[in-house]
Amino acid sequence: MRALVAAAIGLAAALALVLTVTAIGAPDGTTSPKPLLTTVPEHP
């Protein structure tokens, strides 16, 4: 019975965290205009 109560409390805490993050929304920001290097540059 204690395990069921602990699981319910954990699930409620996780749901509250998800709802809080959803309510706050994603942070405003911009991405870098430079592309990421996907290959190793050749040595000179």
Side-chain angles (χ1 to χ4, degrees):
M1 187 68 179
R2 283 188 229 172
L4 185 62
V5 172
I9 291 172
L11 184 61
L15 183 62
L17 180 64
V18 168
L19 290 177
T20 302
V21 171
T22 303
I24 292 173
D28 294 331
T30 58
T31 58
S32 174
K34 295 181 181 179
L36 296 175
L37 295 176
T38 56
T39 58
V40 178
E42 294 183 14
H43 293 289

